[in-house]
Amino acid sequence: MTAYAVAHLREAAPHPEIAEYIERVTATFAPYGGRFLVHGAQREVKEGEWAGDVVIIGFPGITEARAWWDSPAYREIAPLRSRHIAGDIILVDGVPEGYDPATTAKTLREALAAE
């Protein structure tokens, strides 16, 4: 099942370390099957507020996403970004093939009825 690294990065002033991070980060994905799905794209806010940018990296599974995050290659360059851009980053599983949200709704309705 596909997994994702999702980052909500706040706006930051340009810095040479950020450029270096961007130049080097893609090479850290390769051993784990990762690739950018969203990077540097324009956003259209539909509800609430969203300051900053979104980055989404896809991996074959959560094991690969965790291995990338913990890898020596990524840990080496992460400070180049984190020293200059505040943000929130999560690793999250995608939904399995054939996922039906009606099942979740049914479980919720059953729980509400049992109260």
Side-chain angles (χ1 to χ4, degrees):
M1 176 170 38
T2 304
Y4 304 92
V6 180
H8 176 201
L9 303 175
R10 308 312 184 270
E11 310 242 355
H15 192 280
E17 286 190 342
I18 296 170
E20 181 180 350
Y21 173 86
I22 293 169
E23 291 166 348
R24 294 175 61 187
V25 71
T26 302
T28 69
F29 303 159
Y32 310 99
R35 69 181 186 92
F36 278 116
L37 300 176
V38 176
H39 186 254
Q42 291 293 317
R43 64 198 175 281
E44 185 174 330
V45 179
K46 295 296 189 182
E47 289 187 26
E49 297 179 23
W50 190 284
D53 294 302
V54 64
V55 175
I56 303 174
I57 305 161
F59 291 92
I62 197 72
T63 300
E64 292 86 354
R66 287 181 184 132
W68 163 74
W69 180 262
D70 295 332
S71 71
Y74 185 69
R75 300 306 338 141
E76 178 184 327
I77 68 167
L80 298 173
R81 173 195 44 78
S82 63
R83 282 194 288 260
H84 305 286
I85 303 174
D88 303 305
I89 301 173
I90 62 169
L91 301 180
V92 61
D93 271 322
V95 297
E97 187 70 31
Y99 171 76
D100 182 359
T103 303
T104 301
K106 179 181 176 193
T107 302
L108 176 59
R109 289 188 181 282
E110 288 170 354
L112 290 169
E115 290 183 354

Coordinates of all heavy atoms in Angstrom, one line a residue, residues 25-70:
V25 N 18.1 16.3 -2.1 CA 17.1 15.4 -1.5 C 16.6 14.3 -2.4 O 16.3 13.2 -1.9 CB 15.9 16.3 -1.0 CG1 15.1 16.9 -2.1 CG2 15.0 15.5 0.0
T26 N 16.4 14.6 -3.7 CA 15.9 13.5 -4.6 C 16.8 12.3 -4.6 O 16.2 11.1 -4.6 CB 15.8 14.1 -6.0 OG1 14.9 15.2 -6.0 CG2 15.1 13.0 -6.9
A27 N 18.1 12.4 -4.5 CA 19.0 11.2 -4.4 C 18.7 10.4 -3.2 O 18.9 9.2 -3.2 CB 20.4 11.7 -4.5
T28 N 18.2 11.0 -2.1 CA 17.9 10.2 -0.9 C 16.7 9.3 -1.1 O 16.5 8.4 -0.3 CB 17.8 11.1 0.4 OG1 16.5 11.9 0.3 CG2 19.0 12.0 0.5
F29 N 15.8 9.6 -2.0 CA 14.6 8.8 -2.2 C 14.9 7.5 -2.9 O 14.2 6.5 -2.7 CB 13.6 9.5 -3.1 CG 13.1 10.9 -2.7 CD1 12.6 11.7 -3.7 CD2 13.2 11.3 -1.4 CE1 12.1 13.0 -3.3 CE2 12.7 12.6 -1.1 CZ 12.2 13.4 -2.0
A30 N 15.8 7.5 -3.8 CA 16.1 6.4 -4.7 C 16.1 5.0 -4.1 O 15.4 4.1 -4.5 CB 17.3 6.6 -5.6
P31 N 16.9 4.8 -3.0 CA 16.9 3.5 -2.4 C 15.6 3.0 -1.8 O 15.4 1.8 -1.5 CB 18.0 3.6 -1.3 CG 18.8 4.8 -1.6 CD 17.8 5.7 -2.3
Y32 N 14.7 3.9 -1.7 CA 13.4 3.6 -1.0 C 12.2 3.7 -1.9 O 11.0 3.6 -1.5 CB 13.2 4.5 0.2 CG 14.5 4.4 1.1 CD1 15.4 5.5 1.0 CD2 14.7 3.3 1.9 CE1 16.6 5.4 1.7 CE2 15.9 3.3 2.6 CZ 16.8 4.3 2.5 OH 18.0 4.2 3.3
G33 N 12.4 3.9 -3.2 CA 11.4 4.0 -4.2 C 10.5 5.2 -4.1 O 9.4 5.2 -4.6
G34 N 11.1 6.3 -3.5 CA 10.3 7.5 -3.3 C 10.4 8.4 -4.5 O 11.3 8.3 -5.3
R35 N 9.4 9.3 -4.7 CA 9.4 10.3 -5.7 C 8.4 11.4 -5.3 O 7.4 11.2 -4.6 CB 8.9 9.7 -7.1 CG 7.5 9.3 -7.1 CD 7.1 8.7 -8.5 NE 5.7 8.4 -8.6 CZ 4.8 9.3 -9.1 NH1 5.2 10.5 -9.5 NH2 3.6 9.0 -9.2
F36 N 8.8 12.6 -5.8 CA 7.9 13.8 -5.6 C 6.6 13.6 -6.3 O 6.6 13.2 -7.4 CB 8.6 15.0 -6.1 CG 9.6 15.7 -5.2 CD1 10.9 15.7 -5.6 CD2 9.2 16.2 -3.9 CE1 11.8 16.3 -4.7 CE2 10.1 16.8 -3.1 CZ 11.5 16.8 -3.5
L37 N 5.5 13.8 -5.6 CA 4.2 13.9 -6.1 C 3.7 15.3 -6.2 O 3.0 15.7 -7.1 CB 3.2 13.1 -5.3 CG 3.5 11.6 -5.3 CD1 2.6 10.8 -4.4 CD2 3.6 10.9 -6.6
V38 N 4.1 16.1 -5.2 CA 3.8 17.6 -5.2 C 5.0 18.3 -4.6 O 5.6 17.9 -3.6 CB 2.6 17.9 -4.2 CG1 2.3 19.4 -4.1 CG2 1.3 17.1 -4.7
H39 N 5.5 19.3 -5.4 CA 6.7 20.1 -4.9 C 6.7 21.4 -5.7 O 6.7 21.4 -6.9 CB 7.9 19.3 -5.2 CG 9.2 20.0 -4.7 ND1 10.1 20.6 -5.5 CD2 9.6 20.1 -3.4 CE1 11.0 21.1 -4.7 NE2 10.8 20.8 -3.4
G40 N 6.6 22.5 -5.0 CA 6.7 23.8 -5.6 C 5.4 24.1 -6.4 O 5.5 25.0 -7.3
A41 N 4.3 23.5 -6.1 CA 3.1 23.7 -6.9 C 2.3 24.9 -6.3 O 2.3 25.2 -5.1 CB 2.2 22.5 -6.9
Q42 N 1.5 25.5 -7.2 CA 0.6 26.6 -6.7 C -0.5 25.9 -5.9 O -0.9 24.8 -6.2 CB 0.0 27.3 -7.9 CG 1.0 28.2 -8.6 CD 1.5 29.3 -7.7 OE1 0.7 30.0 -7.1 NE2 2.8 29.6 -7.8
R43 N -1.0 26.5 -4.9 CA -2.1 26.0 -4.1 C -3.3 26.9 -4.2 O -3.2 28.1 -4.4 CB -1.7 25.8 -2.6 CG -1.4 27.1 -1.9 CD -0.5 27.0 -0.7 NE -0.1 28.2 -0.1 CZ 0.9 29.0 -0.5 NH1 1.6 28.6 -1.6 NH2 1.1 30.1 0.0
E44 N -4.5 26.3 -4.0 CA -5.7 27.0 -4.0 C -6.4 26.7 -2.7 O -7.0 25.6 -2.6 CB -6.5 26.6 -5.2 CG -7.8 27.4 -5.4 CD -8.5 27.0 -6.7 OE1 -7.8 26.6 -7.7 OE2 -9.7 27.1 -6.7
V45 N -6.5 27.6 -1.8 CA -7.1 27.4 -0.5 C -8.6 27.4 -0.6 O -9.1 28.4 -1.1 CB -6.6 28.4 0.6 CG1 -7.3 28.2 1.9 CG2 -5.1 28.3 0.7
K46 N -9.3 26.4 -0.2 CA -10.8 26.3 -0.3 C -11.4 26.5 1.0 O -12.6 27.0 1.1 CB -11.2 25.0 -0.9 CG -10.7 24.8 -2.3 CD -11.4 25.8 -3.2 CE -11.1 25.5 -4.7 NZ -11.7 26.5 -5.6
E47 N -10.8 26.1 2.1 CA -11.3 26.3 3.4 C -10.2 26.6 4.4 O -9.1 26.1 4.2 CB -12.0 25.1 4.0 CG -13.3 24.8 3.3 CD -14.1 23.6 3.9 OE1 -13.9 23.4 5.1 OE2 -14.9 23.0 3.2
G48 N -10.4 27.5 5.4 CA -9.4 27.8 6.3 C -8.3 28.6 5.8 O -8.4 29.3 4.8
E49 N -7.1 28.5 6.4 CA -6.0 29.3 6.0 C -4.8 28.3 5.8 O -4.7 27.3 6.4 CB -5.6 30.3 7.1 CG -6.7 31.3 7.3 CD -6.3 32.3 8.4 OE1 -5.1 32.5 8.7 OE2 -7.2 32.9 9.0
W50 N -4.0 28.7 4.8 CA -2.8 27.8 4.5 C -1.7 28.7 4.2 O -1.6 29.2 3.0 CB -3.1 26.9 3.4 CG -2.1 25.8 3.2 CD1 -0.9 26.0 2.6 CD2 -2.2 24.5 3.6 NE1 -0.2 24.8 2.7 CE2 -1.0 23.8 3.2 CE3 -3.1 23.7 4.2 CZ2 -0.7 22.5 3.5 CZ3 -2.9 22.4 4.5 CH2 -1.7 21.8 4.1
A51 N -0.8 29.0 5.1 CA 0.4 29.7 4.8 C 1.5 28.8 4.5 O 1.7 27.8 5.3 CB 0.7 30.6 6.0
G52 N 2.2 29.0 3.4 CA 3.3 28.1 3.1 C 3.1 27.2 2.0 O 2.2 27.4 1.2
D53 N 3.8 26.1 1.9 CA 3.8 25.2 0.8 C 3.5 23.8 1.2 O 3.8 23.5 2.4 CB 5.1 25.2 0.0 CG 5.3 26.6 -0.7 OD1 4.5 27.0 -1.5 OD2 6.4 27.2 -0.4
V54 N 3.1 23.0 0.3 CA 2.9 21.6 0.6 C 3.8 20.8 -0.3 O 4.1 21.1 -1.4 CB 1.4 21.1 0.4 CG1 1.0 21.2 -1.0 CG2 1.2 19.7 0.9
V55 N 4.4 19.7 0.3 CA 5.3 18.8 -0.4 C 4.7 17.4 -0.1 O 4.5 17.1 1.1 CB 6.7 18.9 0.0 CG1 7.6 17.9 -0.6 CG2 7.3 20.3 -0.2
I56 N 4.6 16.6 -1.1 CA 4.1 15.2 -0.9 C 5.1 14.3 -1.7 O 5.3 14.5 -2.9 CB 2.7 15.0 -1.4 CG1 1.7 15.9 -0.7 CG2 2.3 13.5 -1.2 CD1 0.3 15.9 -1.2
I57 N 5.6 13.3 -1.0 CA 6.5 12.3 -1.6 C 5.9 11.0 -1.4 O 5.4 10.6 -0.3 CB 7.9 12.3 -0.8 CG1 8.5 13.8 -0.8 CG2 8.8 11.3 -1.5 CD1 9.5 13.9 0.2
G58 N 5.8 10.2 -2.5 CA 5.2 8.9 -2.5 C 6.2 7.8 -2.3 O 7.3 7.9 -2.9
F59 N 5.9 6.8 -1.6 CA 6.7 5.6 -1.4 C 5.9 4.4 -1.6 O 4.7 4.4 -1.4 CB 7.3 5.6 0.1 CG 8.3 6.7 0.3 CD1 7.9 7.9 0.8 CD2 9.7 6.5 0.0 CE1 8.8 9.0 1.0 CE2 10.6 7.6 0.2 CZ 10.2 8.8 0.7
P60 N 6.5 3.3 -1.9 CA 5.8 2.0 -2.1 C 5.0 1.6 -0.8 O 4.0 0.9 -0.9 CB 6.9 1.0 -2.4 CG 8.0 1.8 -3.0 CD 8.0 3.1 -2.2
G61 N 5.5 1.9 0.4 CA 4.8 1.6 1.6 C 5.4 2.3 2.8 O 6.4 3.1 2.6
I62 N 4.8 2.2 3.9 CA 5.2 2.9 5.1 C 6.6 2.5 5.6 O 7.4 3.3 6.1 CB 4.1 2.8 6.2 CG1 4.4 3.9 7.3 CG2 4.1 1.5 6.9 CD1 4.0 5.3 6.9
T63 N 6.9 1.2 5.4 CA 8.3 0.8 5.7 C 9.4 1.5 5.0 O 10.4 2.0 5.6 CB 8.4 -0.7 5.5 OG1 7.4 -1.4 6.3 CG2 9.8 -1.3 5.8
E64 N 9.1 1.7 3.7 CA 10.1 2.5 2.9 C 10.1 4.0 3.3 O 11.2 4.6 3.3 CB 9.8 2.3 1.4 CG 10.0 0.9 0.8 CD 8.8 0.0 1.0 OE1 7.8 0.4 1.7 OE2 8.8 -1.1 0.5
A65 N 9.0 4.5 3.6 CA 8.9 5.9 4.0 C 9.7 6.1 5.3 O 10.5 7.1 5.4 CB 7.5 6.4 4.1
R66 N 9.5 5.2 6.2 CA 10.2 5.3 7.5 C 11.7 5.1 7.3 O 12.5 5.8 7.9 CB 9.7 4.3 8.5 CG 8.4 4.6 9.1 CD 7.9 3.6 10.1 NE 6.6 3.8 10.5 CZ 5.6 2.9 10.6 NH1 5.9 1.6 10.2 NH2 4.4 3.2 11.0
A67 N 12.1 4.2 6.5 CA 13.5 3.9 6.2 C 14.2 5.1 5.6 O 15.3 5.5 5.9 CB 13.6 2.7 5.3
W68 N 13.5 5.8 4.6 CA 14.0 7.0 4.0 C 14.2 8.1 5.1 O 15.3 8.7 5.2 CB 13.1 7.5 2.9 CG 13.4 8.9 2.6 CD1 14.4 9.4 1.8 CD2 12.6 10.1 3.0 NE1 14.4 10.8 1.8 CE2 13.3 11.2 2.4 CE3 11.4 10.3 3.7 CZ2 12.8 12.5 2.6 CZ3 11.0 11.6 3.9 CH2 11.6 12.7 3.3
W69 N 13.2 8.3 5.9 CA 13.2 9.4 6.9 C 14.4 9.1 7.9 O 15.1 10.1 8.3 CB 11.9 9.5 7.7 CG 11.9 10.5 8.7 CD1 12.2 10.4 10.1 CD2 11.7 11.9 8.5 NE1 12.1 11.6 10.7 CE2 11.8 12.6 9.8 CE3 11.5 12.7 7.4 CZ2 11.7 13.9 10.0 CZ3 11.3 14.1 7.6 CH2 11.4 14.7 8.9
D70 N 14.6 7.9 8.3 CA 15.7 7.6 9.2 C 17.0 7.3 8.6 O 18.0 7.1 9.3 CB 15.2 6.3 10.0 CG 14.0 6.5 10.9 OD1 13.8 7.7 11.3 OD2 13.3 5.6 11.1

